[in-house]
Structures are given as C-alpha cells and as structure tokens.
Amino acid sequence: MNPQVSNLLLVLGIVQVARRLDLDNPEVLIYVRIGYLVSQTIILSACYFAAIKIKGKNDLTALKYVEPAKPFTNEQPKLVETSNRDYDLSKVQELLKQTLIGVVIMLVLHFYWNFTQPLFIQSIIPLKNLYYNKIVQIHLLGKPAEGDLKRPFKEASPFGQLSDSQQPQTDKAAIKKAAKASKSGEKDD
C-alpha cells in the first residue's frame, strides 16, 4: 500500500481515538505529552544508532548518480559522486532535520495555540514512518540494500508516475550527460 494512503487511513483512525479521549483533562494531557516525548526520543535514538552502524561499516563503495533539477527552476541536473557511507549519513541527517522541524512545529501548535490532538497524532505517525525509513530498514533491521532499498533511494510520491523525472538516475548515459554538462558549465565560469 502507498505510504501516503496508509498514513491517511492511520490518521483517520487516530483522530477517532483522539475524539474519545478527554484531552482537556490535565492527567490525560500529561500522558499524551509523555507519549509524544517517548516517540521523538525513539526517533532520535534510531538516528543515532543508524549513524553509529553506518560509520562502523564504513562502506566506501563509490556511488554515482544524477540528482534531478529542482522543479520550476532553470537548474540543470547535477552529477553526484559519493560513497554509500556518505550517502547514508546524509539520509540520516535529513531524517534528523525533519524530526527536529516537526518538534518545533508541534511545540508551537501545542503551547502557543493549545492544540492537543496533533500532539496525539504525531506520537504515532512518525514511528510508522521511522519503521518504513530506508536507512532504518537497511542498518537497524538488517535488510539487504536491493530492490526498493538500493541506493540512491527512489522517493515515494503520491502522484506515482508523474514523479519519475524527479528520481535520481543511475544509468551510464545520464551520468555521462551530467558530467559533460558540469564540465561545460565550469568552462563558462
């Protein structure tokens, strides 16, 4: 099932459960806050342990791919040359950044605007997303880096095939074309 669809169904279920909870009761609110803190601590711990495992494996296998241009810009696709270790560490850093931004947003929603239902929802959904995270799948759950877990990772899109142009390309022709474009761009400077 598409992760976005499963998230939607999960949110609808969680909202129904949250409606049955008395989130105005200070005792219930304490438990919701503790649940949120535990959830975020689990995610941050997973990032830490994944980074330790990645550094421990020290997989310096070369990884070349063409990163697609950002939509609605005049940028050209660029060639990225890295190692599996550095690529995986960058993905851990993305997960960490995403988590911290989510925490800041939740703090504003909860303490400034007094919303508690999103706090309850965000105690559960990020754990599901963590479980399906490709870095967690490879380094913490021990799945082999093949198929959907092959680097560079393809990003899931709710629009399906429309996003194929925004996926990293690993074929030799695309890499050669991007290398040639970057060399000609360097000469123009």
Side-chain angles (χ1 to χ4, degrees):
M1 183 184 300
N2 189 335
Q4 286 81 7
V5 173
S6 64
N7 276 352
L8 179 65
L9 294 174
L10 186 60
V11 167
L12 292 175
I14 294 170
V15 167
Q16 295 306 313
V17 171
R19 284 185 178 175
R20 298 185 194 287
L21 294 175
D22 182 15
L23 295 174
D24 293 329
N25 181 344
E27 190 173 315
V28 172
L29 186 57
I30 290 288
Y31 289 119
V32 170
R33 286 177 180 163
I34 290 171
Y36 180 74
L37 287 173
V38 167
S39 169
Q40 299 312 306
T41 303
I42 290 170
I43 294 169
L44 294 175
S45 298
C47 288
Y48 175 73
F49 288 119
I52 287 175
K53 278 204 141 180
I54 292 166
K55 289 175 183 174
K57 286 181 183 175
N58 202 23
D59 183 2
L60 298 176
T61 305
L63 178 64
K64 276 187 179 181
Y65 63 95
V66 178
E67 192 173 272
K70 293 186 176 32
F72 311 113
T73 65
N74 290 333
E75 287 182 13
Q76 294 295 319
K78 69 178 184 178
L79 178 65
V80 177
E81 296 182 52
T82 186
S83 66
N84 285 346
R85 175 187 186 272
D86 293 339
Y87 181 79
D88 289 354
L89 286 173
S90 74
K91 291 299 180 182
V92 169
Q93 190 174 16
E94 281 179 26
L95 177 61
L96 185 61
K97 190 177 188 182
Q98 180 183 18
T99 301
L100 293 176
I101 289 171
V103 168
V104 169
I105 291 170
M106 283 310 306
L107 288 173
V108 169
L109 284 174
H110 183 63
F111 289 109
Y112 187 71
W113 287 318
N114 296 321
F115 290 143
T116 33
Q117 197 171 27
L119 191 69
F120 181 71
I121 292 168
Q122 289 301 312
S123 298
I124 298 168
I125 298 234
L127 291 176
K128 177 204 166 277
N129 292 341
L130 177 69
Y131 178 77
Y132 288 108
N133 184 287
K134 293 175 181 174
I135 292 296
V136 171
Q137 294 277 315
I138 293 170
H139 295 287
L140 298 182
L141 300 179
K143 293 189 177 177
E146 50 192 38
D148 284 346
L149 299 178
K150 187 176 180 202
R151 297 172 189 93
F153 304 135
K154 301 237 184 269
E155 299 299 323
S157 171
F159 306 115
Q161 297 298 339
L162 295 177
S163 69
D164 279 351
S165 64
Q166 293 302 309
Q167 299 297 341
Q169 297 173 330
T170 56
D171 59 284
K172 289 182 181 182
I175 290 172
K176 195 173 189 179
K177 182 179 176 184
K180 189 184 288 186
S182 69
K183 285 181 184 176
S184 67
E186 289 172 6
K187 289 178 185 176
D188 292 342
D189 293 337

